[in-house]
Coordinates of all heavy atoms in Angstrom, one line a residue:
M1 N 9.3 5.2 25.0 CA 10.7 4.7 25.0 C 11.1 4.6 23.5 O 10.3 4.4 22.6 CB 10.8 3.4 25.7 CG 12.2 2.8 25.5 SD 12.6 1.3 26.4 CE 11.3 0.2 26.1
K2 N 12.4 4.8 23.3 CA 13.0 4.7 22.0 C 14.1 3.7 22.0 O 15.0 3.8 22.9 CB 13.5 6.0 21.5 CG 14.0 6.1 20.1 CD 14.6 7.4 19.7 CE 13.5 8.4 19.4 NZ 14.0 9.7 18.8
I3 N 14.1 2.7 21.1 CA 15.2 1.8 20.9 C 15.9 2.1 19.6 O 15.4 2.0 18.6 CB 14.7 0.3 20.8 CG1 13.8 0.0 22.1 CG2 15.8 -0.7 20.7 CD1 13.1 -1.3 22.0
R4 N 17.2 2.6 19.8 CA 18.0 3.0 18.6 C 18.6 1.8 18.0 O 19.3 1.0 18.6 CB 19.0 4.0 19.0 CG 19.9 4.4 17.9 CD 20.0 5.8 17.5 NE 19.1 6.8 18.0 CZ 18.2 7.4 17.1 NH1 18.2 7.0 15.9 NH2 17.5 8.3 17.6
I5 N 18.4 1.6 16.7 CA 19.0 0.5 15.9 C 20.3 1.1 15.3 O 21.4 0.4 15.4 CB 18.1 0.0 14.8 CG1 16.8 -0.6 15.4 CG2 18.8 -1.0 13.9 CD1 15.8 -0.9 14.4
N6 N 20.3 2.2 14.7 CA 21.5 2.9 14.2 C 21.1 4.4 14.0 O 20.1 4.8 14.6 CB 22.0 2.3 12.9 CG 20.9 2.3 11.8 OD1 20.1 3.2 11.7 ND2 20.9 1.2 11.0
E7 N 21.9 5.2 13.4 CA 21.7 6.6 13.2 C 20.4 6.9 12.5 O 19.8 8.0 12.6 CB 22.8 7.3 12.5 CG 24.2 7.3 13.3 CD 24.9 6.0 13.0 OE1 24.8 5.5 11.9 OE2 25.7 5.6 13.9
T8 N 20.0 6.0 11.6 CA 18.8 6.3 10.7 C 17.5 5.6 11.2 O 16.5 6.2 11.0 CB 19.1 5.7 9.3 OG1 20.4 6.3 8.9 CG2 18.0 6.1 8.3
Y9 N 17.6 4.5 11.9 CA 16.4 3.7 12.3 C 16.3 3.6 13.8 O 17.3 3.4 14.5 CB 16.4 2.3 11.6 CG 16.4 2.4 10.1 CD1 17.6 2.4 9.4 CD2 15.2 2.4 9.5 CE1 17.5 2.4 8.0 CE2 15.1 2.5 8.1 CZ 16.3 2.5 7.3 OH 16.3 2.5 6.0
H10 N 15.1 3.6 14.3 CA 14.8 3.3 15.7 C 13.4 2.8 15.8 O 12.6 2.8 14.9 CB 15.0 4.6 16.5 CG 14.0 5.6 16.3 ND1 14.1 6.6 15.3 CD2 12.8 5.9 16.9 CE1 13.1 7.4 15.3 NE2 12.3 7.0 16.3
I11 N 13.1 2.2 17.0 CA 11.8 1.7 17.3 C 11.2 2.5 18.5 O 11.9 2.6 19.5 CB 11.9 0.2 17.7 CG1 12.4 -0.7 16.5 CG2 10.5 -0.4 18.1 CD1 12.8 -2.1 16.9
E12 N 10.1 3.0 18.3 CA 9.4 3.7 19.3 C 8.4 2.8 20.0 O 7.7 2.1 19.3 CB 8.7 5.0 18.8 CG 9.6 6.1 18.5 CD 8.9 7.4 18.3 OE1 7.7 7.5 18.5 OE2 9.6 8.4 17.9
V13 N 8.4 2.7 21.3 CA 7.6 1.8 22.1 C 6.6 2.6 22.9 O 6.9 3.5 23.5 CB 8.5 1.0 23.0 CG1 7.7 0.0 23.8 CG2 9.6 0.3 22.3
D14 N 5.3 2.1 22.8 CA 4.3 2.6 23.6 C 3.5 1.4 24.2 O 3.9 0.3 24.0 CB 3.4 3.7 22.9 CG 2.6 3.1 21.8 OD1 2.2 1.9 21.8 OD2 2.3 3.8 20.8
E15 N 2.4 1.7 24.9 CA 1.7 0.6 25.5 C 1.0 -0.3 24.5 O 0.6 -1.5 24.9 CB 0.7 1.1 26.5 CG -0.4 1.9 26.0 CD -0.1 3.4 25.8 OE1 1.0 3.8 26.2 OE2 -0.9 4.1 25.2
R16 N 0.9 0.0 23.3 CA 0.2 -0.8 22.3 C 1.1 -1.3 21.1 O 0.8 -2.3 20.5 CB -1.0 0.0 21.7 CG -2.0 0.3 22.7 CD -3.1 1.0 22.0 NE -4.1 1.3 23.0 CZ -5.3 1.8 22.8 NH1 -5.6 2.1 21.6 NH2 -6.1 2.1 23.8
N17 N 2.1 -0.5 20.7 CA 2.8 -0.8 19.5 C 4.3 -0.7 19.7 O 4.8 0.0 20.6 CB 2.5 0.2 18.4 CG 1.1 0.1 18.0 OD1 0.6 -0.9 17.6 ND2 0.4 1.2 18.0
Y18 N 5.0 -1.3 18.7 CA 6.4 -1.1 18.5 C 6.4 -0.5 17.1 O 6.1 -1.2 16.1 CB 7.2 -2.4 18.5 CG 7.3 -3.0 19.9 CD1 6.2 -3.8 20.3 CD2 8.3 -2.7 20.7 CE1 6.3 -4.4 21.6 CE2 8.4 -3.3 22.0 CZ 7.4 -4.1 22.4 OH 7.4 -4.7 23.7
T19 N 6.8 0.8 16.9 CA 6.8 1.5 15.7 C 8.2 1.7 15.1 O 9.0 2.3 15.8 CB 6.1 2.9 15.8 OG1 4.8 2.7 16.4 CG2 5.9 3.5 14.4
L20 N 8.4 1.0 14.0 CA 9.7 1.2 13.3 C 9.7 2.5 12.6 O 8.8 2.8 11.7 CB 10.0 0.0 12.4 CG 11.3 0.1 11.6 CD1 12.5 0.1 12.5 CD2 11.4 -1.0 10.6
K21 N 10.7 3.4 12.8 CA 10.8 4.7 12.2 C 12.1 4.9 11.5 O 13.2 4.4 12.0 CB 10.5 5.8 13.2 CG 9.1 5.8 13.7 CD 8.8 7.0 14.4 CE 7.3 7.1 14.8 NZ 7.0 8.3 15.5
E22 N 12.1 5.7 10.5 CA 13.3 6.0 9.7 C 13.5 7.6 9.8 O 12.5 8.3 9.6 CB 13.2 5.6 8.3 CG 14.4 6.0 7.5 CD 14.3 5.6 6.0 OE1 13.2 5.2 5.6 OE2 15.3 5.7 5.3
T23 N 14.6 8.1 10.1 CA 14.9 9.5 10.1 C 15.4 9.9 8.7 O 16.4 9.3 8.2 CB 16.0 9.9 11.2 OG1 15.5 9.5 12.5 CG2 16.2 11.4 11.2
R24 N 14.7 10.8 8.1 CA 15.0 11.3 6.8 C 15.3 12.8 6.8 O 15.0 13.4 7.8 CB 13.9 11.0 5.8 CG 13.6 9.5 5.6 CD 12.5 9.3 4.6 NE 12.3 7.9 4.3 CZ 11.5 7.4 3.5 NH1 10.7 8.3 2.8 NH2 11.3 6.1 3.3
V25 N 15.8 13.3 5.7 CA 16.1 14.7 5.6 C 15.3 15.3 4.5 O 15.4 14.7 3.3 CB 17.6 15.0 5.4 CG1 17.9 16.5 5.3 CG2 18.4 14.4 6.6
S26 N 14.5 16.3 4.7 CA 13.7 16.9 3.7 C 14.5 17.7 2.7 O 15.7 17.9 2.9 CB 12.6 17.8 4.3 OG 13.2 19.0 4.9
E27 N 13.9 18.1 1.6 CA 14.7 18.9 0.6 C 15.2 20.2 1.1 O 16.3 20.7 0.7 CB 13.7 19.2 -0.6 CG 13.4 18.0 -1.4 CD 12.5 18.3 -2.6 OE1 12.3 19.5 -2.9 OE2 12.0 17.4 -3.2
N28 N 14.6 20.8 2.2 CA 15.1 22.0 2.8 C 16.1 21.7 3.9 O 16.5 22.6 4.6 CB 14.0 22.9 3.2 CG 13.1 22.3 4.3 OD1 13.4 21.2 4.7 ND2 12.1 23.0 4.7
G29 N 16.5 20.4 4.1 CA 17.5 20.1 5.0 C 17.0 19.8 6.4 O 17.9 19.6 7.3
K30 N 15.7 19.8 6.7 CA 15.2 19.5 8.0 C 15.0 18.0 8.2 O 14.3 17.4 7.3 CB 13.9 20.3 8.3 CG 14.2 21.8 8.3 CD 12.9 22.5 8.8 CE 13.3 24.0 8.9 NZ 12.2 24.7 9.5
P31 N 15.4 17.4 9.3 CA 15.2 16.0 9.5 C 13.7 15.8 9.9 O 13.1 16.6 10.6 CB 16.1 15.6 10.7 CG 16.4 16.9 11.3 CD 16.3 18.0 10.3
Y32 N 13.2 14.6 9.5 CA 11.8 14.2 9.9 C 11.8 12.7 10.0 O 12.7 12.0 9.5 CB 10.8 14.7 9.0 CG 10.8 14.1 7.6 CD1 10.0 13.1 7.3 CD2 11.7 14.6 6.6 CE1 10.0 12.5 6.0 CE2 11.7 14.0 5.3 CZ 10.9 13.0 5.0 OH 10.9 12.4 3.8
E33 N 10.8 12.2 10.7 CA 10.7 10.8 10.9 C 9.5 10.2 10.1 O 8.5 10.8 10.0 CB 10.4 10.4 12.4 CG 11.6 10.8 13.2 CD 11.4 10.4 14.7 OE1 10.2 10.1 15.1 OE2 12.3 10.5 15.5
K34 N 9.8 9.0 9.5 CA 8.7 8.3 8.7 C 8.5 7.0 9.3 O 9.5 6.2 9.5 CB 9.2 8.2 7.3 CG 8.2 7.4 6.4 CD 8.6 7.4 5.0 CE 7.7 6.5 4.2 NZ 6.3 6.9 4.0
A35 N 7.3 6.7 9.7 CA 6.9 5.4 10.2 C 6.9 4.4 9.1 O 6.3 4.6 8.1 CB 5.5 5.4 10.9
L36 N 7.6 3.3 9.3 CA 7.7 2.2 8.3 C 6.8 1.1 8.6 O 6.5 0.2 7.8 CB 9.2 1.7 8.2 CG 10.2 2.7 7.8 CD1 11.6 2.1 7.8 CD2 9.9 3.3 6.4
G37 N 6.3 1.0 9.9 CA 5.4 -0.1 10.2 C 5.1 -0.1 11.7 O 5.9 0.4 12.5
Y38 N 4.0 -0.7 12.1 CA 3.6 -0.9 13.4 C 3.5 -2.4 13.8 O 2.9 -3.1 13.0 CB 2.2 -0.2 13.6 CG 2.2 1.2 13.2 CD1 1.8 1.6 11.9 CD2 2.5 2.2 14.1 CE1 1.9 2.9 11.5 CE2 2.5 3.5 13.8 CZ 2.2 3.9 12.5 OH 2.2 5.2 12.1
F39 N 4.1 -2.8 14.9 CA 4.3 -4.2 15.2 C 3.9 -4.5 16.6 O 3.8 -3.6 17.5 CB 5.8 -4.6 14.9 CG 6.2 -4.2 13.6 CD1 6.8 -3.0 13.3 CD2 6.0 -5.0 12.5 CE1 7.3 -2.6 12.1 CE2 6.4 -4.7 11.2 CZ 7.0 -3.5 11.0
R40 N 3.6 -5.7 16.9 CA 3.2 -6.2 18.2 C 4.4 -6.6 19.1 O 4.2 -6.8 20.3 CB 2.2 -7.3 18.1 CG 0.9 -6.8 17.4 CD -0.1 -7.9 17.3 NE -0.6 -8.1 18.7 CZ -1.5 -9.0 18.9 NH1 -2.0 -9.8 18.0 NH2 -1.9 -9.2 20.2
S41 N 5.6 -6.7 18.5 CA 6.7 -7.1 19.3 C 8.0 -6.5 18.7 O 8.0 -6.1 17.5 CB 6.9 -8.7 19.3 OG 7.2 -9.1 18.1
V42 N 9.0 -6.5 19.5 CA 10.3 -6.0 19.1 C 10.8 -6.9 17.9 O 11.4 -6.5 16.9 CB 11.4 -6.0 20.2 CG1 12.8 -5.7 19.7 CG2 11.0 -4.9 21.2
Y43 N 10.6 -8.2 18.1 CA 11.1 -9.2 17.1 C 10.5 -8.9 15.8 O 11.2 -8.9 14.8 CB 10.7 -10.6 17.6 CG 11.2 -11.7 16.6 CD1 12.5 -12.1 16.6 CD2 10.3 -12.2 15.6 CE1 13.0 -13.1 15.7 CE2 10.8 -13.1 14.7 CZ 12.1 -13.6 14.7 OH 12.5 -14.5 13.8
Q44 N 9.2 -8.7 15.7 CA 8.5 -8.4 14.4 C 9.1 -7.1 13.8 O 9.3 -7.1 12.6 CB 7.0 -8.2 14.6 CG 6.3 -9.5 14.9 CD 4.8 -9.3 15.2 OE1 4.4 -8.3 15.7 NE2 4.0 -10.4 15.0
A45 N 9.3 -6.1 14.6 CA 9.9 -4.9 14.1 C 11.3 -5.1 13.5 O 11.6 -4.6 12.5 CB 9.9 -3.8 15.2
L46 N 12.1 -5.9 14.3 CA 13.5 -6.2 13.8 C 13.4 -7.0 12.5 O 14.3 -6.9 11.6 CB 14.3 -6.8 14.9 CG 14.6 -6.0 16.1 CD1 15.3 -6.8 17.2 CD2 15.4 -4.8 15.7
E47 N 12.5 -8.0 12.5 CA 12.4 -8.8 11.3 C 12.1 -8.0 10.1 O 12.7 -8.1 9.0 CB 11.3 -9.9 11.5 CG 11.3 -11.0 10.5 CD 10.3 -12.0 10.9 OE1 9.2 -11.7 11.4 OE2 10.6 -13.2 10.7
F48 N 11.1 -7.0 10.2 CA 10.8 -6.1 9.1 C 12.0 -5.3 8.7 O 12.3 -5.1 7.6 CB 9.6 -5.3 9.5 CG 9.2 -4.3 8.3 CD1 8.3 -4.8 7.4 CD2 9.7 -3.1 8.3 CE1 8.0 -3.9 6.3 CE2 9.4 -2.2 7.2 CZ 8.5 -2.7 6.2
Y49 N 12.7 -4.7 9.7 CA 13.8 -3.9 9.5 C 14.9 -4.6 8.7 O 15.5 -4.1 7.7 CB 14.4 -3.4 10.8 CG 15.8 -2.8 10.6 CD1 16.0 -1.5 10.1 CD2 16.9 -3.5 10.9 CE1 17.3 -1.0 9.9 CE2 18.2 -3.0 10.7 CZ 18.4 -1.8 10.2 OH 19.6 -1.3 10.0
N50 N 15.1 -5.9 9.1 CA 16.1 -6.7 8.4 C 15.7 -6.9 6.9 O 16.5 -6.7 6.0 CB 16.2 -8.1 9.1 CG 17.3 -9.0 8.6 OD1 18.4 -8.5 8.4 ND2 17.0 -10.2 8.3
R51 N 14.4 -7.2 6.6 CA 14.0 -7.4 5.2 C 14.1 -6.0 4.5 O 14.5 -6.0 3.3 CB 12.5 -7.8 5.2 CG 12.3 -9.3 5.5 CD 10.9 -9.8 5.1 NE 9.8 -8.9 5.4 CZ 9.1 -8.9 6.5 NH1 9.3 -9.8 7.5 NH2 8.1 -8.1 6.7
H52 N 13.7 -5.0 5.1 CA 13.8 -3.6 4.5 C 15.2 -3.3 4.2 O 15.5 -2.8 3.1 CB 13.2 -2.6 5.5 CG 13.3 -1.2 5.1 ND1 12.5 -0.7 4.1 CD2 14.1 -0.2 5.5 CE1 12.8 0.6 3.9 NE2 13.8 0.9 4.7
S53 N 16.1 -3.5 5.1 CA 17.5 -3.1 4.8 C 18.1 -4.0 3.7 O 18.9 -3.5 2.9 CB 18.4 -3.2 6.1 OG 18.4 -4.5 6.6
L54 N 17.7 -5.3 3.7 CA 18.2 -6.1 2.6 C 17.7 -5.6 1.2 O 18.4 -5.6 0.2 CB 17.8 -7.6 2.8 CG 18.7 -8.4 3.7 CD1 18.0 -9.8 3.9 CD2 20.0 -8.6 3.1
A55 N 16.4 -5.2 1.2 CA 15.8 -4.7 0.0 C 16.5 -3.4 -0.6 O 16.3 -3.1 -1.7 CB 14.3 -4.5 0.2
Q56 N 17.1 -2.7 0.3 CA 17.8 -1.4 -0.1 C 19.0 -1.6 -0.9 O 19.5 -0.7 -1.6 CB 18.1 -0.6 1.1 CG 16.9 -0.2 2.0 CD 15.8 0.5 1.3 OE1 16.1 1.5 0.6 NE2 14.6 0.0 1.4
G57 N 19.6 -2.8 -0.9 CA 20.8 -3.2 -1.6 C 20.5 -3.3 -3.1 O 19.4 -3.6 -3.6
E58 N 21.5 -2.9 -3.9 CA 21.4 -2.9 -5.4 C 21.9 -4.2 -6.0 O 21.9 -4.4 -7.2 CB 22.1 -1.7 -6.0 CG 21.5 -0.4 -5.5 CD 20.1 -0.2 -6.1 OE1 19.9 -0.6 -7.2 OE2 19.3 0.4 -5.4
E59 N 22.5 -5.1 -5.2 CA 23.1 -6.3 -5.7 C 22.1 -7.3 -6.1 O 20.9 -7.3 -5.7 CB 24.1 -6.9 -4.6 CG 23.4 -7.3 -3.4 CD 24.3 -7.7 -2.3 OE1 25.3 -8.4 -2.6 OE2 24.1 -7.2 -1.1
E60 N 22.5 -8.2 -6.9 CA 21.7 -9.4 -7.3 C 22.1 -10.6 -6.6 O 23.3 -10.9 -6.5 CB 21.8 -9.6 -8.9 CG 20.9 -10.7 -9.4 CD 21.0 -10.8 -10.9 OE1 21.0 -9.8 -11.6 OE2 21.0 -11.9 -11.3
L61 N 21.2 -11.3 -6.0 CA 21.5 -12.4 -5.1 C 20.7 -13.7 -5.6 O 19.6 -13.5 -6.1 CB 21.1 -12.2 -3.7 CG 21.7 -11.0 -3.0 CD1 21.0 -10.8 -1.6 CD2 23.2 -11.2 -2.8
T62 N 21.3 -14.8 -5.4 CA 20.5 -16.0 -5.6 C 19.7 -16.2 -4.3 O 19.9 -15.5 -3.3 CB 21.5 -17.3 -5.7 OG1 22.1 -17.5 -4.4 CG2 22.5 -17.1 -6.8
I63 N 18.7 -17.1 -4.4 CA 17.8 -17.3 -3.3 C 18.6 -17.8 -2.1 O 18.4 -17.4 -0.9 CB 16.6 -18.2 -3.6 CG1 15.6 -18.2 -2.5 CG2 17.1 -19.6 -3.9 CD1 14.9 -16.9 -2.2
A64 N 19.6 -18.6 -2.3 CA 20.4 -19.2 -1.2 C 21.2 -18.0 -0.5 O 21.3 -18.0 0.7 CB 21.3 -20.2 -1.7
E65 N 21.8 -17.1 -1.4 CA 22.5 -16.0 -0.8 C 21.6 -15.0 0.0 O 22.0 -14.6 1.0 CB 23.2 -15.2 -1.9 CG 24.3 -15.9 -2.6 CD 24.8 -15.3 -3.9 OE1 24.0 -14.6 -4.6 OE2 25.9 -15.5 -4.3
Y66 N 20.4 -14.8 -0.5 CA 19.4 -13.9 0.2 C 19.1 -14.5 1.5 O 19.1 -13.8 2.5 CB 18.2 -13.7 -0.7 CG 17.1 -13.0 0.1 CD1 17.1 -11.6 0.2 CD2 16.1 -13.6 0.7 CE1 16.2 -10.9 0.9 CE2 15.1 -12.9 1.5 CZ 15.2 -11.6 1.5 OH 14.2 -10.9 2.2
I67 N 18.8 -15.8 1.5 CA 18.4 -16.5 2.8 C 19.6 -16.4 3.8 O 19.3 -16.1 5.0 CB 18.0 -18.0 2.5 CG1 16.6 -18.0 1.8 CG2 17.9 -18.7 3.8 CD1 16.2 -19.3 1.2
E68 N 20.8 -16.6 3.3 CA 21.9 -16.6 4.2 C 22.1 -15.1 4.8 O 22.3 -15.0 6.0 CB 23.2 -17.0 3.5 CG 24.4 -17.0 4.3 CD 24.4 -18.0 5.5 OE1 23.7 -19.1 5.3 OE2 25.0 -17.8 6.5
K69 N 22.0 -14.1 3.9 CA 22.1 -12.7 4.4 C 21.0 -12.4 5.4 O 21.2 -11.7 6.4 CB 22.1 -11.8 3.2 CG 23.4 -11.6 2.5 CD 23.4 -10.5 1.6 CE 24.8 -10.1 1.3 NZ 25.0 -8.7 1.0
Y70 N 19.8 -12.9 5.0 CA 18.6 -12.6 5.9 C 18.9 -13.2 7.3 O 18.7 -12.5 8.3 CB 17.4 -13.2 5.3 CG 16.1 -13.1 6.1 CD1 15.4 -11.9 6.0 CD2 15.7 -14.1 7.0 CE1 14.3 -11.7 6.8 CE2 14.6 -13.9 7.7 CZ 13.9 -12.7 7.7 OH 12.8 -12.6 8.4
K71 N 19.3 -14.5 7.3 CA 19.5 -15.1 8.6 C 20.6 -14.4 9.4 O 20.5 -14.2 10.6 CB 19.9 -16.6 8.4 CG 18.7 -17.5 8.0 CD 19.2 -18.9 7.8 CE 18.1 -19.9 7.5 NZ 18.6 -21.2 7.3
E72 N 21.7 -14.1 8.7 CA 22.8 -13.4 9.4 C 22.4 -12.1 10.0 O 22.7 -11.8 11.1 CB 24.0 -13.2 8.4 CG 24.8 -14.4 8.1 CD 25.8 -14.2 7.0 OE1 26.1 -13.0 6.6 OE2 26.4 -15.1 6.5
G73 N 21.7 -11.3 9.2 CA 21.2 -10.0 9.7 C 20.3 -10.1 10.8 O 20.4 -9.4 11.8
L74 N 19.4 -11.0 10.8 CA 18.4 -11.2 11.8 C 19.1 -11.7 13.1 O 18.8 -11.2 14.2 CB 17.3 -12.1 11.4 CG 16.0 -12.2 12.3 CD1 15.5 -10.8 12.5 CD2 15.0 -13.1 11.7
D75 N 20.0 -12.7 12.9 CA 20.7 -13.2 14.1 C 21.5 -12.1 14.8 O 21.5 -12.0 16.0 CB 21.7 -14.3 13.7 CG 21.0 -15.6 13.3 OD1 19.7 -15.7 13.6 OD2 21.6 -16.5 12.7
E76 N 22.1 -11.2 14.0 CA 22.9 -10.1 14.6 C 22.0 -9.1 15.4 O 22.3 -8.7 16.5 CB 23.6 -9.3 13.5 CG 24.8 -10.0 12.9 CD 25.5 -9.3 11.8 OE1 25.2 -8.1 11.6 OE2 26.2 -9.9 11.1
L77 N 20.8 -8.8 14.8 CA 19.9 -7.9 15.5 C 19.3 -8.6 16.8 O 19.2 -7.9 17.8 CB 18.7 -7.6 14.5 CG 19.1 -6.7 13.4 CD1 17.9 -6.6 12.4 CD2 19.3 -5.3 13.9
I78 N 19.0 -9.8 16.7 CA 18.4 -10.5 17.9 C 19.5 -10.6 19.0 O 19.2 -10.4 20.1 CB 17.9 -11.9 17.5 CG1 16.6 -11.7 16.6 CG2 17.6 -12.7 18.7 CD1 16.1 -13.0 16.0
E79 N 20.7 -10.9 18.6 CA 21.8 -11.0 19.6 C 22.0 -9.6 20.3 O 22.2 -9.6 21.5 CB 23.1 -11.5 18.9 CG 24.2 -11.7 19.9 CD 24.0 -12.8 20.9 OE1 23.2 -13.8 20.6 OE2 24.5 -12.7 22.0
A80 N 21.9 -8.6 19.5 CA 22.1 -7.2 20.0 C 21.0 -6.8 21.0 O 21.1 -6.0 21.9 CB 22.2 -6.2 18.9
C81 N 19.8 -7.4 20.8 CA 18.6 -7.0 21.6 C 18.1 -8.1 22.5 O 17.0 -8.1 23.0 CB 17.5 -6.6 20.7 SG 17.8 -5.2 19.7
K82 N 19.0 -9.1 22.9 CA 18.6 -10.2 23.7 C 17.9 -9.6 25.0 O 18.5 -8.7 25.6 CB 19.7 -11.1 24.1 CG 19.9 -12.2 23.1 CD 20.7 -13.3 23.6 CE 20.5 -14.5 22.6 NZ 21.6 -15.3 22.6
G83 N 16.9 -10.2 25.4 CA 16.2 -9.9 26.7 C 15.2 -8.8 26.5 O 14.4 -8.5 27.4
V84 N 15.1 -8.2 25.3 CA 14.1 -7.1 25.1 C 12.9 -7.8 24.4 O 13.0 -8.5 23.5 CB 14.6 -6.0 24.2 CG1 13.5 -5.0 23.9 CG2 15.8 -5.4 24.8
R85 N 11.7 -7.6 25.0 CA 10.5 -8.2 24.4 C 9.4 -7.1 24.2 O 9.3 -6.2 24.9 CB 9.9 -9.3 25.3 CG 10.7 -10.5 25.3 CD 10.2 -11.5 24.2 NE 11.1 -12.6 24.2 CZ 11.6 -13.2 23.1 NH1 11.2 -12.7 22.0 NH2 12.4 -14.2 23.2

């Protein structure tokens, strides 16, 4: 099974893992998938995705601003995936 987060990221589910994957484009223009991590739950995969997406930003944040963005992002992801374990 595949749980789509957005056009770039998804979680692949099998009987043992939740694998967070990113779709990238190679230099010759062909799309490929890169595994970013293997997790025991959807929540752990979403938590990692949230940290990963925050780290991609170029802005400078105070610790309070980072914590607020982290909580907001995780709350949005969890709300979107309620009931999935």
Side-chain angles (χ1 to χ4, degrees):
M1 174 174 48
K2 186 185 282 190
I3 302 169
R4 176 123 345 250
I5 298 172
N6 57 35
E7 296 85 30
T8 306
Y9 296 94
H10 68 274
I11 299 169
E12 284 191 8
V13 181
D14 63 31
E15 64 276 353
R16 295 184 182 186
N17 294 306
Y18 294 84
T19 307
L20 178 62
K21 292 189 173 183
E22 178 182 12
T23 302
R24 296 181 174 183
V25 178
S26 67
E27 290 181 11
N28 63 2
K30 292 189 178 188
Y32 68 97
E33 293 179 349
K34 177 174 173 70
L36 299 178
Y38 303 91
F39 306 93
R40 296 182 69 182
S41 70
V42 170
Y43 181 83
Q44 289 175 333
L46 291 175
E47 190 175 40
F48 181 87
Y49 166 77
N50 189 45
R51 285 193 320 264
H52 175 75
S53 61
L54 277 174
Q56 302 303 309
E58 297 293 324
E59 62 190 314
E60 184 175 316
L61 302 172
T62 66
I63 189 67
E65 291 169 332
Y66 174 82
I67 291 169
E68 183 63 29
K69 280 191 160 210
Y70 178 84
K71 285 181 180 179
E72 286 175 8
L74 193 55
D75 288 346
E76 287 176 15
L77 288 168
I78 291 170
E79 186 63 31
C81 295
K82 270 202 172 151
V84 178
R85 290 268 177 222

